[in-house]
Amino acid sequence: IAMNNDNNDGGASGAPRLFRQRGKSKVWTALINNQEVPLGTNDEKEARRRLAELYTEGDLKEETPWRVYWDAGWVVKYYDTERRRRTHRLVRSLPTDATKAHAEDAAAAWYEEHVSRRMVKRSSSAPRGPVRRATGTDSVPTFRQFGEDWTSGALSRRFPDHVREKASRKDDATRLKLYVYPVIGDRPMSEFEGRAGIELVEKVVASLPPVSTTFSRSSRRHVLQVVSRLLNLAAYPGKYIAINPLPKGFLPKVAAQKAKSFLYPSEEAQLMACREVPVVARLFYGVLAREGFRVSEALALTWKSVDLDRGVVTLEENKTDDPRSWVLDPGVVEALRRWRDGLTRLPKPTTLLFADPKGRPLDRFVVASALRDYLTLAGVNRPQLFERTETRIPLRAHDLRATFVTINLALGKTEAWITDRTGHRSSQMIYTYKRGARSVAELQLGSLVPLHEAIPELAKQAK
């Protein structure tokens, strides 16, 4: 099979094309007949091997609901109409010297005659009501189908009392697509019972990319957390398996915390004053540092979320499904008002807050690296902001949230005042910032400059 990274016909001629996903994952993916098939690995050699396994003499192997094995003669293993695992010997339909290819042909004919037709007959006479998608094993969905029901929200609509629709379901869908579905996506959920289920999940573990700068220990844990959650749902309310087979302690341990940074007020002022950085980017970073938004929350803000007349912001959808609202910093309110009035036309209520005058939103995949580049451009050179070592990570856009908490703790703001804005749910989370806050207070670093004064282009606009 011809496989390459060149810009060809995209697999339309039958030869797949390998390429790497955007973002951090860098997972190798095959483009086959204009369909993306993630191969679940960062290693090109391994990706080519996995792609080759999908093919037999140039054609994709067809997934079947049965398997042929040799056990003192050829046997076929399958699931019956009651979803019980069965074994049937093919001795009557095969000569003693039959090859595996002959056995597969005989198994296909036998399965069609004795199992598939019964399933069709049974489904046609079944009472009307909620029906699960058929997969060849009597309406038991595959892992991929069940996972897609979860990440699409269909499962939460079907079981509203037991399945919550996650705000981060798109991230989970990406993890499943890149690292899980290529390995076990086509296996029926009923196969995940007991030891067999553990062994299937262990295949996912074995196929995960090694720990690196683009795939951390936390990333491995996140992937397996999604798998474990799906198996919990498969046990109940799905009722495809008796219990989640993964034992306590299966998930990888949480990686040791690495040192993180936050911006000093003087450094943040340098960034805000740098005219070479786009205004919308400075406005975005400045609001993060002054209001404590999560990056995802800020990127999703629309103009209807902020009441500039009263200076209030309302977040109805967020990571923790905990709607909250608070009074914005006066400098932020004035900066947003001047930014809005300076646009060529007034934005619609549904227009994103942080979009340039042409309506283009910020790219969530580059806001962290762009922040470090902009700081360098502005002349900020504190080494801790840019170092990546075994014990430290460079400054991220998310760390502007830490800047907000640390500086306001140093200024004497209460935990309640801070959590009203950040959405933190425990004092333990706030406690992690108190050491840095004490340093800021001892150094008398002060507070951030009001945003409408910190950005020169907005400062010069008439009130």
Side-chain angles (χ1 to χ4, degrees), residues 132 140-143 146-147 150 155 159 163 188-193 226-245:
R132 294 167 178 162
V140 177
T142 63
F143 193 95
F146 193 63
W150 181 45
L155 209 60
F159 303 106
V163 183
M189 290 306 304
S190 54
E191 289 188 8
F192 289 82
E193 288 278 9
V226 177
V227 174
S228 181
R229 174 59 175 153
L230 268 178
L231 291 176
N232 280 332
L233 294 174
Y236 192 84
K239 294 186 283 190
Y240 299 116
I241 56 178
I243 193 172
N244 182 348

PDB file of all heavy atoms in Angstrom, residues 132 140-143 146-147 150 155 159 163 188-193 226-245:
ATOM      1  N   ARG A 132     -32.037   0.368  20.606  1.00  0.00           N
ATOM      2  CA  ARG A 132     -30.610   0.654  20.512  1.00  0.00           C
ATOM      3  C   ARG A 132     -30.118   0.246  19.139  1.00  0.00           C
ATOM      4  O   ARG A 132     -30.636  -0.670  18.528  1.00  0.00           O
ATOM      5  CB  ARG A 132     -29.855  -0.112  21.599  1.00  0.00           C
ATOM      6  CG  ARG A 132     -30.211   0.374  22.994  1.00  0.00           C
ATOM      7  CD  ARG A 132     -29.715  -0.580  24.033  1.00  0.00           C
ATOM      8  NE  ARG A 132     -30.017  -0.095  25.367  1.00  0.00           N
ATOM      9  CZ  ARG A 132     -30.020  -0.856  26.445  1.00  0.00           C
ATOM     10  NH1 ARG A 132     -29.760  -2.137  26.340  1.00  0.00           N
ATOM     11  NH2 ARG A 132     -30.290  -0.332  27.621  1.00  0.00           N
ATOM     12  N   VAL A 140     -26.599  -4.576  20.497  1.00  0.00           N
ATOM     13  CA  VAL A 140     -25.585  -4.087  21.422  1.00  0.00           C
ATOM     14  C   VAL A 140     -24.684  -3.124  20.652  1.00  0.00           C
ATOM     15  O   VAL A 140     -24.087  -3.499  19.659  1.00  0.00           O
ATOM     16  CB  VAL A 140     -24.738  -5.244  21.994  1.00  0.00           C
ATOM     17  CG1 VAL A 140     -23.647  -4.702  22.905  1.00  0.00           C
ATOM     18  CG2 VAL A 140     -25.625  -6.221  22.739  1.00  0.00           C
ATOM     19  N   PRO A 141     -24.588  -1.870  21.099  1.00  0.00           N
ATOM     20  CA  PRO A 141     -23.757  -0.919  20.350  1.00  0.00           C
ATOM     21  C   PRO A 141     -22.281  -1.232  20.509  1.00  0.00           C
ATOM     22  O   PRO A 141     -21.856  -1.885  21.472  1.00  0.00           O
ATOM     23  CB  PRO A 141     -24.099   0.426  21.003  1.00  0.00           C
ATOM     24  CG  PRO A 141     -24.466   0.070  22.397  1.00  0.00           C
ATOM     25  CD  PRO A 141     -25.178  -1.254  22.302  1.00  0.00           C
ATOM     26  N   THR A 142     -21.500  -0.771  19.577  1.00  0.00           N
ATOM     27  CA  THR A 142     -20.050  -0.878  19.720  1.00  0.00           C
ATOM     28  C   THR A 142     -19.570   0.206  20.678  1.00  0.00           C
ATOM     29  O   THR A 142     -20.311   1.129  21.029  1.00  0.00           O
ATOM     30  CB  THR A 142     -19.355  -0.699  18.365  1.00  0.00           C
ATOM     31  OG1 THR A 142     -19.628   0.630  17.880  1.00  0.00           O
ATOM     32  CG2 THR A 142     -19.837  -1.726  17.351  1.00  0.00           C
ATOM     33  N   PHE A 143     -18.326   0.091  21.086  1.00  0.00           N
ATOM     34  CA  PHE A 143     -17.750   1.102  21.977  1.00  0.00           C
ATOM     35  C   PHE A 143     -17.811   2.472  21.318  1.00  0.00           C
ATOM     36  O   PHE A 143     -18.115   3.471  21.970  1.00  0.00           O
ATOM     37  CB  PHE A 143     -16.306   0.736  22.313  1.00  0.00           C
ATOM     38  CG  PHE A 143     -15.730   1.526  23.454  1.00  0.00           C
ATOM     39  CD1 PHE A 143     -15.752   1.027  24.737  1.00  0.00           C
ATOM     40  CD2 PHE A 143     -15.177   2.783  23.235  1.00  0.00           C
ATOM     41  CE1 PHE A 143     -15.241   1.765  25.800  1.00  0.00           C
ATOM     42  CE2 PHE A 143     -14.658   3.522  24.284  1.00  0.00           C
ATOM     43  CZ  PHE A 143     -14.690   3.009  25.567  1.00  0.00           C
ATOM     44  N   PHE A 146     -21.480   3.783  21.352  1.00  0.00           N
ATOM     45  CA  PHE A 146     -21.879   4.185  22.700  1.00  0.00           C
ATOM     46  C   PHE A 146     -21.172   5.481  23.100  1.00  0.00           C
ATOM     47  O   PHE A 146     -21.771   6.381  23.701  1.00  0.00           O
ATOM     48  CB  PHE A 146     -21.552   3.066  23.686  1.00  0.00           C
ATOM     49  CG  PHE A 146     -22.187   3.241  25.039  1.00  0.00           C
ATOM     50  CD1 PHE A 146     -23.568   3.246  25.183  1.00  0.00           C
ATOM     51  CD2 PHE A 146     -21.399   3.411  26.168  1.00  0.00           C
ATOM     52  CE1 PHE A 146     -24.154   3.413  26.429  1.00  0.00           C
ATOM     53  CE2 PHE A 146     -21.982   3.580  27.419  1.00  0.00           C
ATOM     54  CZ  PHE A 146     -23.359   3.580  27.548  1.00  0.00           C
ATOM     55  N   GLY A 147     -19.890   5.581  22.744  1.00  0.00           N
ATOM     56  CA  GLY A 147     -19.143   6.795  23.057  1.00  0.00           C
ATOM     57  C   GLY A 147     -19.682   8.001  22.316  1.00  0.00           C
ATOM     58  O   GLY A 147     -19.771   9.101  22.873  1.00  0.00           O
ATOM     59  N   TRP A 150     -22.698   9.327  23.923  1.00  0.00           N
ATOM     60  CA  TRP A 150     -22.379  10.101  25.125  1.00  0.00           C
ATOM     61  C   TRP A 150     -21.895  11.506  24.766  1.00  0.00           C
ATOM     62  O   TRP A 150     -22.396  12.512  25.275  1.00  0.00           O
ATOM     63  CB  TRP A 150     -21.327   9.363  25.941  1.00  0.00           C
ATOM     64  CG  TRP A 150     -20.946  10.061  27.211  1.00  0.00           C
ATOM     65  CD1 TRP A 150     -21.787  10.632  28.126  1.00  0.00           C
ATOM     66  CD2 TRP A 150     -19.627  10.244  27.709  1.00  0.00           C
ATOM     67  NE1 TRP A 150     -21.067  11.158  29.173  1.00  0.00           N
ATOM     68  CE2 TRP A 150     -19.735  10.931  28.939  1.00  0.00           C
ATOM     69  CE3 TRP A 150     -18.361   9.881  27.252  1.00  0.00           C
ATOM     70  CZ2 TRP A 150     -18.624  11.267  29.703  1.00  0.00           C
ATOM     71  CZ3 TRP A 150     -17.252  10.207  28.019  1.00  0.00           C
ATOM     72  CH2 TRP A 150     -17.392  10.895  29.222  1.00  0.00           C
ATOM     73  N   LEU A 155     -27.092  10.373  24.889  1.00  0.00           N
ATOM     74  CA  LEU A 155     -27.254   9.535  26.082  1.00  0.00           C
ATOM     75  C   LEU A 155     -27.873  10.333  27.232  1.00  0.00           C
ATOM     76  O   LEU A 155     -28.696   9.804  27.980  1.00  0.00           O
ATOM     77  CB  LEU A 155     -25.893   8.973  26.490  1.00  0.00           C
ATOM     78  CG  LEU A 155     -25.899   7.619  27.214  1.00  0.00           C
ATOM     79  CD1 LEU A 155     -26.528   6.548  26.345  1.00  0.00           C
ATOM     80  CD2 LEU A 155     -24.479   7.227  27.599  1.00  0.00           C
ATOM     81  N   PHE A 159     -31.278   9.364  29.115  1.00  0.00           N
ATOM     82  CA  PHE A 159     -31.278   9.085  30.548  1.00  0.00           C
ATOM     83  C   PHE A 159     -31.003  10.380  31.313  1.00  0.00           C
ATOM     84  O   PHE A 159     -29.940  10.527  31.928  1.00  0.00           O
ATOM     85  CB  PHE A 159     -30.215   8.041  30.896  1.00  0.00           C
ATOM     86  CG  PHE A 159     -30.354   6.732  30.163  1.00  0.00           C
ATOM     87  CD1 PHE A 159     -29.485   6.409  29.131  1.00  0.00           C
ATOM     88  CD2 PHE A 159     -31.348   5.830  30.505  1.00  0.00           C
ATOM     89  CE1 PHE A 159     -29.597   5.205  28.459  1.00  0.00           C
ATOM     90  CE2 PHE A 159     -31.473   4.621  29.836  1.00  0.00           C
ATOM     91  CZ  PHE A 159     -30.610   4.306  28.807  1.00  0.00           C
ATOM     92  N   VAL A 163     -27.414  10.703  33.427  1.00  0.00           N
ATOM     93  CA  VAL A 163     -26.275  11.087  32.595  1.00  0.00           C
ATOM     94  C   VAL A 163     -26.303  12.596  32.399  1.00  0.00           C
ATOM     95  O   VAL A 163     -27.249  13.136  31.829  1.00  0.00           O
ATOM     96  CB  VAL A 163     -26.305  10.382  31.216  1.00  0.00           C
ATOM     97  CG1 VAL A 163     -25.063  10.754  30.416  1.00  0.00           C
ATOM     98  CG2 VAL A 163     -26.395   8.876  31.399  1.00  0.00           C
ATOM     99  N   PRO A 188     -18.124  -4.757  20.485  1.00  0.00           N
ATOM    100  CA  PRO A 188     -19.426  -4.574  21.152  1.00  0.00           C
ATOM    101  C   PRO A 188     -19.252  -4.306  22.642  1.00  0.00           C
ATOM    102  O   PRO A 188     -18.346  -4.848  23.276  1.00  0.00           O
ATOM    103  CB  PRO A 188     -20.144  -5.912  20.906  1.00  0.00           C
ATOM    104  CG  PRO A 188     -19.441  -6.521  19.735  1.00  0.00           C
ATOM    105  CD  PRO A 188     -18.015  -6.074  19.821  1.00  0.00           C
ATOM    106  N   MET A 189     -20.107  -3.483  23.204  1.00  0.00           N
ATOM    107  CA  MET A 189     -19.997  -3.150  24.619  1.00  0.00           C
ATOM    108  C   MET A 189     -20.122  -4.386  25.506  1.00  0.00           C
ATOM    109  O   MET A 189     -19.558  -4.441  26.593  1.00  0.00           O
ATOM    110  CB  MET A 189     -21.080  -2.136  25.013  1.00  0.00           C
ATOM    111  CG  MET A 189     -20.889  -0.739  24.451  1.00  0.00           C
ATOM    112  SD  MET A 189     -19.271   0.004  24.811  1.00  0.00           S
ATOM    113  CE  MET A 189     -19.200  -0.088  26.589  1.00  0.00           C
ATOM    114  N   SER A 190     -20.849  -5.400  25.050  1.00  0.00           N
ATOM    115  CA  SER A 190     -21.021  -6.600  25.861  1.00  0.00           C
ATOM    116  C   SER A 190     -19.723  -7.394  26.021  1.00  0.00           C
ATOM    117  O   SER A 190     -19.644  -8.295  26.856  1.00  0.00           O
ATOM    118  CB  SER A 190     -22.093  -7.501  25.230  1.00  0.00           C
ATOM    119  OG  SER A 190     -21.784  -7.769  23.870  1.00  0.00           O
ATOM    120  N   GLU A 191     -18.687  -7.079  25.238  1.00  0.00           N
ATOM    121  CA  GLU A 191     -17.413  -7.780  25.359  1.00  0.00           C
ATOM    122  C   GLU A 191     -16.549  -7.232  26.498  1.00  0.00           C
ATOM    123  O   GLU A 191     -15.488  -7.781  26.780  1.00  0.00           O
ATOM    124  CB  GLU A 191     -16.625  -7.696  24.050  1.00  0.00           C
ATOM    125  CG  GLU A 191     -17.217  -8.532  22.925  1.00  0.00           C
ATOM    126  CD  GLU A 191     -16.304  -8.583  21.721  1.00  0.00           C
ATOM    127  OE1 GLU A 191     -15.150  -8.095  21.821  1.00  0.00           O
ATOM    128  OE2 GLU A 191     -16.734  -9.095  20.673  1.00  0.00           O
ATOM    129  N   PHE A 192     -17.013  -6.158  27.144  1.00  0.00           N
ATOM    130  CA  PHE A 192     -16.190  -5.518  28.162  1.00  0.00           C
ATOM    131  C   PHE A 192     -16.516  -6.031  29.568  1.00  0.00           C
ATOM    132  O   PHE A 192     -16.440  -5.294  30.536  1.00  0.00           O
ATOM    133  CB  PHE A 192     -16.348  -4.000  28.089  1.00  0.00           C
ATOM    134  CG  PHE A 192     -15.689  -3.407  26.877  1.00  0.00           C
ATOM    135  CD1 PHE A 192     -16.327  -3.411  25.650  1.00  0.00           C
ATOM    136  CD2 PHE A 192     -14.419  -2.864  26.970  1.00  0.00           C
ATOM    137  CE1 PHE A 192     -15.725  -2.873  24.533  1.00  0.00           C
ATOM    138  CE2 PHE A 192     -13.796  -2.328  25.849  1.00  0.00           C
ATOM    139  CZ  PHE A 192     -14.447  -2.331  24.623  1.00  0.00           C
ATOM    140  N   GLU A 193     -16.874  -7.293  29.672  1.00  0.00           N
ATOM    141  CA  GLU A 193     -17.143  -7.922  30.961  1.00  0.00           C
ATOM    142  C   GLU A 193     -15.853  -8.462  31.559  1.00  0.00           C
ATOM    143  O   GLU A 193     -15.033  -9.065  30.869  1.00  0.00           O
ATOM    144  CB  GLU A 193     -18.129  -9.082  30.804  1.00  0.00           C
ATOM    145  CG  GLU A 193     -19.556  -8.665  30.526  1.00  0.00           C
ATOM    146  CD  GLU A 193     -20.305  -8.281  31.799  1.00  0.00           C
ATOM    147  OE1 GLU A 193     -19.664  -8.182  32.866  1.00  0.00           O
ATOM    148  OE2 GLU A 193     -21.528  -8.083  31.710  1.00  0.00           O
ATOM    149  N   VAL A 226     -11.831   8.903  30.535  1.00  0.00           N
ATOM    150  CA  VAL A 226     -12.980   8.887  29.627  1.00  0.00           C
ATOM    151  C   VAL A 226     -13.437   7.453  29.393  1.00  0.00           C
ATOM    152  O   VAL A 226     -14.642   7.153  29.400  1.00  0.00           O
ATOM    153  CB  VAL A 226     -12.627   9.574  28.290  1.00  0.00           C
ATOM    154  CG1 VAL A 226     -13.799   9.494  27.326  1.00  0.00           C
ATOM    155  CG2 VAL A 226     -12.244  11.030  28.518  1.00  0.00           C
ATOM    156  N   VAL A 227     -12.485   6.530  29.192  1.00  0.00           N
ATOM    157  CA  VAL A 227     -12.827   5.124  28.977  1.00  0.00           C
ATOM    158  C   VAL A 227     -13.544   4.571  30.202  1.00  0.00           C
ATOM    159  O   VAL A 227     -14.574   3.883  30.093  1.00  0.00           O
ATOM    160  CB  VAL A 227     -11.560   4.298  28.675  1.00  0.00           C
ATOM    161  CG1 VAL A 227     -11.890   2.811  28.604  1.00  0.00           C
ATOM    162  CG2 VAL A 227     -10.930   4.759  27.361  1.00  0.00           C
ATOM    163  N   SER A 228     -13.012   4.863  31.394  1.00  0.00           N
ATOM    164  CA  SER A 228     -13.626   4.364  32.619  1.00  0.00           C
ATOM    165  C   SER A 228     -15.038   4.917  32.794  1.00  0.00           C
ATOM    166  O   SER A 228     -15.954   4.187  33.210  1.00  0.00           O
ATOM    167  CB  SER A 228     -12.759   4.748  33.823  1.00  0.00           C
ATOM    168  OG  SER A 228     -13.313   4.267  35.021  1.00  0.00           O
ATOM    169  N   ARG A 229     -15.222   6.181  32.483  1.00  0.00           N
ATOM    170  CA  ARG A 229     -16.554   6.780  32.602  1.00  0.00           C
ATOM    171  C   ARG A 229     -17.540   6.097  31.655  1.00  0.00           C
ATOM    172  O   ARG A 229     -18.686   5.807  32.023  1.00  0.00           O
ATOM    173  CB  ARG A 229     -16.469   8.272  32.284  1.00  0.00           C
ATOM    174  CG  ARG A 229     -17.815   8.995  32.229  1.00  0.00           C
ATOM    175  CD  ARG A 229     -18.563   8.894  33.527  1.00  0.00           C
ATOM    176  NE  ARG A 229     -19.794   9.668  33.514  1.00  0.00           N
ATOM    177  CZ  ARG A 229     -20.866   9.392  34.237  1.00  0.00           C
ATOM    178  NH1 ARG A 229     -20.862   8.352  35.051  1.00  0.00           N
ATOM    179  NH2 ARG A 229     -21.944  10.153  34.176  1.00  0.00           N
ATOM    180  N   LEU A 230     -17.104   5.787  30.446  1.00  0.00           N
ATOM    181  CA  LEU A 230     -17.985   5.102  29.491  1.00  0.00           C
ATOM    182  C   LEU A 230     -18.360   3.707  29.983  1.00  0.00           C
ATOM    183  O   LEU A 230     -19.499   3.266  29.802  1.00  0.00           O
ATOM    184  CB  LEU A 230     -17.309   5.012  28.127  1.00  0.00           C
ATOM    185  CG  LEU A 230     -17.600   6.150  27.148  1.00  0.00           C
ATOM    186  CD1 LEU A 230     -16.823   5.965  25.859  1.00  0.00           C
ATOM    187  CD2 LEU A 230     -19.085   6.242  26.857  1.00  0.00           C
ATOM    188  N   LEU A 231     -17.415   3.019  30.615  1.00  0.00           N
ATOM    189  CA  LEU A 231     -17.714   1.685  31.121  1.00  0.00           C
ATOM    190  C   LEU A 231     -18.672   1.753  32.309  1.00  0.00           C
ATOM    191  O   LEU A 231     -19.500   0.858  32.497  1.00  0.00           O
ATOM    192  CB  LEU A 231     -16.422   0.972  31.511  1.00  0.00           C
ATOM    193  CG  LEU A 231     -15.511   0.599  30.336  1.00  0.00           C
ATOM    194  CD1 LEU A 231     -14.218  -0.021  30.834  1.00  0.00           C
ATOM    195  CD2 LEU A 231     -16.218  -0.344  29.374  1.00  0.00           C
ATOM    196  N   ASN A 232     -18.575   2.816  33.115  1.00  0.00           N
ATOM    197  CA  ASN A 232     -19.564   3.013  34.182  1.00  0.00           C
ATOM    198  C   ASN A 232     -20.961   3.186  33.601  1.00  0.00           C
ATOM    199  O   ASN A 232     -21.938   2.619  34.103  1.00  0.00           O
ATOM    200  CB  ASN A 232     -19.200   4.243  35.019  1.00  0.00           C
ATOM    201  CG  ASN A 232     -18.112   3.958  36.033  1.00  0.00           C
ATOM    202  OD1 ASN A 232     -17.965   2.840  36.502  1.00  0.00           O
ATOM    203  ND2 ASN A 232     -17.326   4.968  36.348  1.00  0.00           N
ATOM    204  N   LEU A 233     -21.056   3.976  32.530  1.00  0.00           N
ATOM    205  CA  LEU A 233     -22.352   4.206  31.889  1.00  0.00           C
ATOM    206  C   LEU A 233     -22.857   2.941  31.199  1.00  0.00           C
ATOM    207  O   LEU A 233     -24.067   2.716  31.117  1.00  0.00           O
ATOM    208  CB  LEU A 233     -22.239   5.347  30.875  1.00  0.00           C
ATOM    209  CG  LEU A 233     -21.942   6.734  31.462  1.00  0.00           C
ATOM    210  CD1 LEU A 233     -21.704   7.742  30.335  1.00  0.00           C
ATOM    211  CD2 LEU A 233     -23.102   7.202  32.342  1.00  0.00           C
ATOM    212  N   ALA A 234     -21.938   2.119  30.698  1.00  0.00           N
ATOM    213  CA  ALA A 234     -22.347   0.868  30.053  1.00  0.00           C
ATOM    214  C   ALA A 234     -22.955  -0.095  31.067  1.00  0.00           C
ATOM    215  O   ALA A 234     -23.850  -0.876  30.738  1.00  0.00           O
ATOM    216  CB  ALA A 234     -21.153   0.217  29.362  1.00  0.00           C
ATOM    217  N   ALA A 235     -22.461  -0.014  32.329  1.00  0.00           N
ATOM    218  CA  ALA A 235     -23.043  -0.851  33.378  1.00  0.00           C
ATOM    219  C   ALA A 235     -24.415  -0.327  33.772  1.00  0.00           C
ATOM    220  O   ALA A 235     -25.380  -1.087  33.898  1.00  0.00           O
ATOM    221  CB  ALA A 235     -22.110  -0.893  34.584  1.00  0.00           C
ATOM    222  N   TYR A 236     -24.505   0.996  33.964  1.00  0.00           N
ATOM    223  CA  TYR A 236     -25.792   1.616  34.257  1.00  0.00           C
ATOM    224  C   TYR A 236     -25.721   3.087  33.887  1.00  0.00           C
ATOM    225  O   TYR A 236     -24.745   3.742  34.216  1.00  0.00           O
ATOM    226  CB  TYR A 236     -26.158   1.490  35.746  1.00  0.00           C
ATOM    227  CG  TYR A 236     -27.598   1.856  36.006  1.00  0.00           C
ATOM    228  CD1 TYR A 236     -28.607   0.920  35.828  1.00  0.00           C
ATOM    229  CD2 TYR A 236     -27.947   3.149  36.376  1.00  0.00           C
ATOM    230  CE1 TYR A 236     -29.937   1.256  36.022  1.00  0.00           C
ATOM    231  CE2 TYR A 236     -29.273   3.493  36.569  1.00  0.00           C
ATOM    232  CZ  TYR A 236     -30.270   2.550  36.390  1.00  0.00           C
ATOM    233  OH  TYR A 236     -31.577   2.892  36.572  1.00  0.00           O
ATOM    234  N   PRO A 237     -26.657   3.579  33.123  1.00  0.00           N
ATOM    235  CA  PRO A 237     -27.956   2.983  32.769  1.00  0.00           C
ATOM    236  C   PRO A 237     -27.961   2.117  31.510  1.00  0.00           C
ATOM    237  O   PRO A 237     -28.997   1.618  31.114  1.00  0.00           O
ATOM    238  CB  PRO A 237     -28.833   4.207  32.568  1.00  0.00           C
ATOM    239  CG  PRO A 237     -27.898   5.235  32.029  1.00  0.00           C
ATOM    240  CD  PRO A 237     -26.589   5.015  32.722  1.00  0.00           C
ATOM    241  N   GLY A 238     -26.790   1.937  30.866  1.00  0.00           N
ATOM    242  CA  GLY A 238     -26.784   1.172  29.619  1.00  0.00           C
ATOM    243  C   GLY A 238     -27.173  -0.289  29.796  1.00  0.00           C
ATOM    244  O   GLY A 238     -27.844  -0.869  28.951  1.00  0.00           O
ATOM    245  N   LYS A 239     -26.695  -0.900  30.910  1.00  0.00           N
ATOM    246  CA  LYS A 239     -26.984  -2.304  31.224  1.00  0.00           C
ATOM    247  C   LYS A 239     -26.474  -3.267  30.155  1.00  0.00           C
ATOM    248  O   LYS A 239     -27.077  -4.296  29.870  1.00  0.00           O
ATOM    249  CB  LYS A 239     -28.481  -2.510  31.467  1.00  0.00           C
ATOM    250  CG  LYS A 239     -28.979  -1.789  32.720  1.00  0.00           C
ATOM    251  CD  LYS A 239     -30.427  -2.100  33.044  1.00  0.00           C
ATOM    252  CE  LYS A 239     -31.370  -1.327  32.141  1.00  0.00           C
ATOM    253  NZ  LYS A 239     -32.779  -1.422  32.576  1.00  0.00           N
ATOM    254  N   TYR A 240     -25.343  -2.936  29.550  1.00  0.00           N
ATOM    255  CA  TYR A 240     -24.712  -3.844  28.591  1.00  0.00           C
ATOM    256  C   TYR A 240     -23.723  -4.770  29.275  1.00  0.00           C
ATOM    257  O   TYR A 240     -23.406  -5.839  28.767  1.00  0.00           O
ATOM    258  CB  TYR A 240     -23.990  -3.047  27.502  1.00  0.00           C
ATOM    259  CG  TYR A 240     -24.909  -2.155  26.705  1.00  0.00           C
ATOM    260  CD1 TYR A 240     -24.765  -0.773  26.738  1.00  0.00           C
ATOM    261  CD2 TYR A 240     -25.922  -2.698  25.926  1.00  0.00           C
ATOM    262  CE1 TYR A 240     -25.613   0.048  26.006  1.00  0.00           C
ATOM    263  CE2 TYR A 240     -26.779  -1.886  25.198  1.00  0.00           C
ATOM    264  CZ  TYR A 240     -26.619  -0.515  25.251  1.00  0.00           C
ATOM    265  OH  TYR A 240     -27.462   0.289  24.541  1.00  0.00           O
ATOM    266  N   ILE A 241     -23.187  -4.340  30.427  1.00  0.00           N
ATOM    267  CA  ILE A 241     -22.289  -5.163  31.226  1.00  0.00           C
ATOM    268  C   ILE A 241     -22.763  -5.090  32.678  1.00  0.00           C
ATOM    269  O   ILE A 241     -23.514  -4.178  33.050  1.00  0.00           O
ATOM    270  CB  ILE A 241     -20.820  -4.705  31.124  1.00  0.00           C
ATOM    271  CG1 ILE A 241     -20.689  -3.224  31.518  1.00  0.00           C
ATOM    272  CG2 ILE A 241     -20.272  -4.954  29.729  1.00  0.00           C
ATOM    273  CD1 ILE A 241     -19.252  -2.708  31.482  1.00  0.00           C
ATOM    274  N   ALA A 242     -22.315  -6.037  33.502  1.00  0.00           N
ATOM    275  CA  ALA A 242     -22.777  -6.077  34.891  1.00  0.00           C
ATOM    276  C   ALA A 242     -22.138  -4.986  35.732  1.00  0.00           C
ATOM    277  O   ALA A 242     -22.784  -4.387  36.593  1.00  0.00           O
ATOM    278  CB  ALA A 242     -22.475  -7.445  35.496  1.00  0.00           C
ATOM    279  N   ILE A 243     -20.850  -4.718  35.480  1.00  0.00           N
ATOM    280  CA  ILE A 243     -20.117  -3.754  36.292  1.00  0.00           C
ATOM    281  C   ILE A 243     -18.893  -3.293  35.517  1.00  0.00           C
ATOM    282  O   ILE A 243     -18.396  -4.012  34.640  1.00  0.00           O
ATOM    283  CB  ILE A 243     -19.695  -4.402  37.644  1.00  0.00           C
ATOM    284  CG1 ILE A 243     -19.206  -3.330  38.621  1.00  0.00           C
ATOM    285  CG2 ILE A 243     -18.660  -5.491  37.424  1.00  0.00           C
ATOM    286  CD1 ILE A 243     -18.965  -3.871  40.013  1.00  0.00           C
ATOM    287  N   ASN A 244     -18.420  -2.080  35.804  1.00  0.00           N
ATOM    288  CA  ASN A 244     -17.182  -1.590  35.206  1.00  0.00           C
ATOM    289  C   ASN A 244     -16.042  -2.525  35.604  1.00  0.00           C
ATOM    290  O   ASN A 244     -15.768  -2.700  36.798  1.00  0.00           O
ATOM    291  CB  ASN A 244     -16.903  -0.167  35.694  1.00  0.00           C
ATOM    292  CG  ASN A 244     -15.652   0.442  35.066  1.00  0.00           C
ATOM    293  OD1 ASN A 244     -14.850  -0.234  34.433  1.00  0.00           O
ATOM    294  ND2 ASN A 244     -15.488   1.738  35.245  1.00  0.00           N
ATOM    295  N   PRO A 245     -15.374  -3.157  34.634  1.00  0.00           N
ATOM    296  CA  PRO A 245     -14.341  -4.144  34.992  1.00  0.00           C
ATOM    297  C   PRO A 245     -13.055  -3.529  35.510  1.00  0.00           C
ATOM    298  O   PRO A 245     -12.222  -4.253  36.069  1.00  0.00           O
ATOM    299  CB  PRO A 245     -14.096  -4.865  33.656  1.00  0.00           C
ATOM    300  CG  PRO A 245     -14.394  -3.830  32.617  1.00  0.00           C
ATOM    301  CD  PRO A 245     -15.544  -3.026  33.175  1.00  0.00           C
TER     302      PRO A 245
END
